[in-house]
Amino acid sequence: MPLHQLGDKPLTFPSPNSAMKNGLDHTPPSRRASPGTPLSPGSLCSAAHSPLDTSKQPLCKLWAEKRGARGNHEVRYVSAGQSVACGWWAFAPPCLQVLNTPKGILFFLCAAAFLQGMTVNGFINTVITSLERRYELHSYQSGLIASSYDIAACLCLTFVSYFGGAGHKPRWLGWGVLLMGTGSLVFALPHFTAGRYEVEVDAGVRTCPANPSAACADSTSGLSRYQLVFMLGQFLHGVGATPLYTLGVTYLDENVKSSYSPVYIAIFYTAAILGPAAGYLIGGALLNIYTEMGRRTELTTESPLWVGAWWVGFLGSGAAAFFTAIPILGYPRQLPGSQRYAVVRAAEMHQLKDGSHGEASNPDFGKTIRDLPLSIWLLLKNPTFILLCLAGATEATLITGMSTFSPKFLESQFSLRASEAATLFGYLVVPAGGGGTFLGGFFVNKLRLRGSAVIKFCLFCTVVSLLGILVFSLHCPSVPMAGVTASYGGSLLPEGHLNLTAPCNAACSCQPEHYSPVCGSDGLMYFSLCHAGCPAATETNVDGQKVYRDCSCVPQNLSSGFGHATAGKCTSTCQRKPLLLVFIFVVIFFTFLSSIPALTATLRCVRDPQRSFALGIQWIVVRILGGIPGPIAFGWVIDKACLLWQDQCGQQGSCLVYQNSAMSRYILIMGLLYKVPVLTVLEYPCMGFISLGKITRLCGNCSAPIPLYIC
């Protein structure tokens, strides 16, 4: 992109489609804009016609008169001698200016969004179970840790989006990324200050006969106090990420051509979607490494005492965030040549029926606290913006709820380990979420979607994803578990009739606190080695798994002797696994396919000086109504599907065994409950725009579509 040095004079724009021939202007003097006059939308439309084209003059003239009746408020964009060089204060070497382009800032913003998604939406969701085990946290405490991010974002969004929108956006963004990196380092701090993780592997506690004296040892380690450190790290994550999805989006939008903006924003959000996918994959792999790296342990990944290297990912993302923030801090307030796109954005801007837009069109609007009430009032009077916010909130409820509990759903349905479920979900999110986000912006650009066409595209995506959610009416049968879903003889138990004790293990004195599932040779899963009646003698099979022989509760298929059991859960033989995975992919893909079109509609339905603040308000609505209650609502209904709760010395812990049919049914109900309102909410904004085709027929060759609010 060519570099344009801006002077101290107000920046003016020539007519984009002036009648030019051989470098000479053939427009009649009466219709020429005087030199130095800023171009208004009225002159833009009139300049778009040939002087001999009288058949198309009345509508454009009428539109100009209509605007004039409301007050002819011209938009002036003033550079005031601001530097557009890339660098840090006085240090701006010429070699850095090759990065001073929209593609350059897009690369670094994508890196920041990738790190944010990988850390907050990837690593956090992957390591929650390990944190609960390592630092003796309850589920509600880990829930508070996860919610600290959204709480911090809600507290900061209004301030950052309002004042940052009128300030130096790259500096706000750079300092935000630095705060994110600091939050990651703080989150990893307990690993280095809490001492080594040391556990005694007492086989006598789990095998038959058990050692009852070791069942409920008194523990006053005080490790649960590290919850506050984790909450502080998440709070810093939330504060640092606040500018990224408000100021970052508007900075990209105002520095590229209007037609390219959806593609740039789609690439940015694709990086944000790929981040969580990488977090699930990398986090799942790190959980297979023992937390005390370099030390030998007798624990295996199947052991309920196993804690993986949860902290490594946070150290890496924290260091990468610091290196990403430095170049972002060096970008100017506006990229070279960016102000020439302001007129096109003004022409596409969604106009309200009232005449209060004059003050908001002032370039100085929104720079002081006095303009804050008017800014809020203008957004509240914009029904299209409000309904798009509500639609985003309902979608966010599904996205946050399902992203938090989808690994648990896969773990239960397909009888997987936690690390395997996280990795599988990551494989789904990479092509579905990332591809859907990118293609959403691509379609907006290639199909030239404007106004109501954008909303109709969102409606189409919502209908398809709604149909995909119906797949949750199917489920995989639960692996039969002795004493929970099946009797020790193999027959099914009525729901609610739990009995882990049987004549075959009555003499073993098994304790309910020690859940360590094993798979018997009869295809039944047992609560622990003790409940399967297995003695301590073991051997290792070809897959490296421990095999326990002569288990009194496991019948032998041959004529004599007892059966054997293998450490870990039984493998699921569900035939519906491919179908479920395909439709989950469809739901994720079409949900994210509509994200960039919806964001484009939001940017085009508010005035130029209000876009950063509008995105901030939208994020507040999305988080308060969707992001925060989403995981809570989904967690509550999923707990309703629990068959067996953990017994922590008389205290109820987390759920150990779920009923697959009930879990699928509750997720289906939640999906329908939140998807159907999106269809209703999105119907109204479709009426709020006039399509590009109608504008072309009425106004001739106007260079840009001019959405008008007509409800």
Side-chain angles (χ1 to χ4, degrees):
M1 179 179 292
L3 304 181
H4 299 278
Q5 299 296 332
L6 303 178
D8 296 331
K9 297 181 180 180
L11 184 64
T12 60
F13 299 92
S15 175
N17 291 329
S18 299
M20 298 292 293
K21 186 176 181 181
N22 299 328
L24 300 177
D25 190 353
H26 296 272
T27 306
S30 61
R31 298 188 59 182
R32 293 180 188 166
S34 60
T37 302
L39 190 62
S40 65
S43 59
L44 172 66
C45 197
S46 63
H49 308 303
S50 168
L52 300 178
D53 190 3
T54 58
S55 62
K56 301 183 181 64
Q57 291 180 12
L59 176 64
C60 297
K61 187 174 181 180
L62 177 63
W63 184 51
E65 292 175 354
K66 184 177 180 180
R67 289 180 51 83
R70 296 179 179 178
N72 190 12
H73 299 279
E74 296 178 341
V75 181
R76 297 174 65 87
Y77 300 89
V78 183
S79 63
Q82 297 167 1
S83 173
V84 293
C86 181
W88 301 272
W89 290 276
F91 180 71
C95 60
L96 290 180
Q97 306 316 310
V98 68
L99 300 175
N100 198 17
T101 62
K103 293 181 180 179
I105 187 63
L106 175 65
F107 173 79
F108 292 111
L109 288 181
C110 284
F114 180 86
L115 291 173
Q116 182 272 338
M118 181 176 65
T119 304
V120 176
N121 300 319
F123 289 154
I124 297 293
N125 293 340
T126 304
V127 306
I128 281 294
T129 304
S130 298
L131 294 182
E132 293 177 355
R133 187 175 301 152
R134 173 67 177 90
Y135 297 98
E136 302 173 0
L137 301 175
H138 294 288
S139 296
Y140 76 90
Q141 291 175 308
S142 59
L144 285 175
I145 293 173
S147 298
S148 298
Y149 174 85
D150 291 308
I151 293 172
C154 288
L155 293 176
C156 299
L157 271 168
T158 302
F159 175 82
V160 171
S161 60
Y162 184 76
F163 292 102
H168 197 294
K169 293 184 180 68
R171 291 179 184 172
W172 284 81
L173 289 164
W175 286 110
V177 176
L178 285 176
L179 275 179
M180 278 200 310
T182 304
S184 295
L185 299 181
V186 170
F187 202 94
L189 186 62
H191 173 76
F192 302 96
T193 59
R196 291 181 175 179
Y197 179 60
E198 297 179 354
V199 292
E200 296 182 1
V201 183
D202 187 0
V205 174
R206 301 190 303 271
T207 57
C208 179
N211 180 11
S213 62
C216 289
D218 184 24
S219 177
T220 57
S221 62
L223 290 174
S224 60
R225 291 178 295 182
Y226 280 101
Q227 171 198 356
L228 299 177
V229 180
F230 294 129
M231 291 180 66
L232 175 61
Q234 274 286 76
F235 194 89
L236 293 175
H237 284 151
V239 175
T242 298
L244 198 56
Y245 298 103
T246 53
L247 306 183
V249 171
T250 53
Y251 189 74
L252 287 174
D253 185 62
E254 66 192 16
N255 284 285
V256 298
K257 290 178 63 176
S258 179
S259 59
Y260 292 164
S261 175
V263 177
Y264 274 74
I265 296 175
I267 295 174
F268 172 71
Y269 271 89
T270 301
I273 298 301
L274 294 178
Y280 281 110
L281 297 176
I282 298 174
L286 290 174
L287 290 183
N288 290 321
I289 303 174
Y290 188 55
T291 183
E292 301 294 340
M293 300 179 66
R295 298 189 64 196
R296 296 179 60 87
T297 179
E298 296 181 8
L299 295 175
T300 63
T301 54
E302 287 82 11
S303 172
L305 300 176
W306 175 270
V307 174
W310 61 270
W311 50 274
V312 176
F314 293 97
L315 287 183
S317 62
F322 281 101
F323 287 108
T324 305
I326 294 174
I328 294 177
L329 287 168
Y331 275 88
R333 183 187 294 263
Q334 291 178 322
L335 295 181
S338 62
Q339 289 195 5
R340 58 182 172 173
Y341 306 131
V343 167
V344 179
R345 289 200 311 271
E348 290 186 346
M349 187 175 58
H350 178 99
Q351 299 292 342
L352 292 180
K353 291 180 68 174
D354 63 274
S356 61
H357 64 276
E359 294 184 45
S361 300
N362 191 330
D364 294 326
F365 178 78
K367 294 184 178 180
T368 63
I369 194 66
R370 293 178 301 175
D371 297 329
L372 180 59
L374 179 57
S375 295
I376 296 176
W377 176 242
L378 291 177
L379 293 178
L380 291 177
K381 292 201 305 178
N382 189 335
T384 303
F385 171 76
I386 294 298
L387 292 173
L388 286 172
C389 288
L390 295 177
T394 53
E395 289 280 27
T397 306
L398 282 175
I399 292 174
T400 56
M402 296 191 70
S403 64
T404 302
F405 293 103
S406 285
K408 178 174 288 189
F409 174 81
L410 298 178
E411 179 182 352
S412 177
Q413 295 288 325
F414 307 141
S415 190
L416 303 174
R417 298 198 304 269
S419 58
E420 293 174 334
T423 303
L424 178 59
F425 188 64
Y427 286 143
L428 288 174
V429 171
V430 169
T437 302
F438 176 77
L439 289 177
F442 177 81
F443 288 148
V444 171
N445 179 51
K446 286 299 181 181
L447 302 179
R448 301 185 180 276
L449 301 179
R450 296 292 187 272
S452 62
V454 176
I455 308 297
K456 291 177 181 177
F457 183 82
C458 295
L459 279 170
F460 168 76
C461 296
T462 303
V463 170
V464 176
S465 60
L466 176 62
L467 296 176
I469 285 178
L470 297 177
V471 76
F472 287 106
S473 59
L474 305 176
H475 66 276
C476 287
S478 301
V479 175
M481 186 171 187
V484 180
T485 61
S487 67
Y488 277 83
S491 60
L492 294 178
L493 281 178
E495 185 177 346
H497 291 71
L498 305 179
N499 187 12
L500 296 175
T501 303
C504 60
N505 61 23
C508 296
S509 301
C510 302
Q511 302 297 323
E513 290 81 14
H514 300 101
Y515 175 67
S516 181
V518 294
C519 183
S521 57
D522 58 344
L524 281 180
M525 191 163 63
Y526 294 85
F527 188 88
S528 69
L529 290 170
C530 181
H531 291 84
C534 300
T538 63
E539 60 184 58
T540 304
N541 62 12
V542 292
D543 296 328
Q545 294 178 309
K546 291 184 178 181
V547 179
Y548 298 82
R549 300 287 180 181
D550 299 326
C551 300
S552 61
C553 291
V554 183
Q556 178 61 272
N557 294 329
L558 300 178
S559 58
S560 62
F562 294 119
H564 64 273
T566 306
K569 299 178 180 179
C570 294
T571 304
S572 174
T573 58
C574 179
Q575 301 296 323
R576 296 172 176 172
K577 181 178 179 179
L579 182 64
L580 282 170
L581 293 178
V582 167
F583 275 88
I584 291 175
F585 178 92
V586 170
V587 172
I588 297 174
F589 178 81
F590 280 94
T591 297
F592 284 96
L593 186 64
S594 63
S595 59
I596 299 304
L599 181 62
T600 303
T602 301
L603 290 173
R604 296 297 174 258
C605 77
V606 296
R607 301 177 184 86
D608 208 45
Q610 285 190 291
R611 290 179 305 153
S612 295
F613 185 59
L615 287 182
I617 296 298
Q618 186 177 56
W619 274 109
I620 291 176
V621 174
V622 166
R623 292 185 187 279
I624 292 179
L625 299 182
I628 295 177
I632 298 174
F634 270 80
W636 182 75
V637 298
I638 287 178
D639 279 344
K640 296 294 182 183
C642 184
L643 286 176
L644 181 64
W645 291 92
Q646 184 181 15
D647 186 351
Q648 297 178 331
C649 299
Q651 300 292 326
Q652 180 177 296
S654 59
C655 184
L656 299 177
V657 180
Y658 290 95
Q659 186 180 16
N660 287 352
S661 59
M663 179 183 283
S664 295
R665 182 169 62 251
Y666 292 144
I667 291 181
L668 173 64
I669 293 173
M670 293 295 290
L672 296 177
L673 187 63
Y674 284 98
K675 274 290 185 181
V676 172
V678 177
L679 297 175
T680 305
V681 168
L682 286 178
E683 285 180 359
Y684 184 80
C686 282
M687 302 298 297
F689 293 90
I690 188 166
S691 66
L692 175 61
K694 292 180 181 179
I695 287 291
T696 304
R697 290 195 299 270
L698 295 175
C699 196
N701 298 321
C702 289
S703 61
I706 308 171
L708 299 176
Y709 189 71
I710 59 173
C711 289

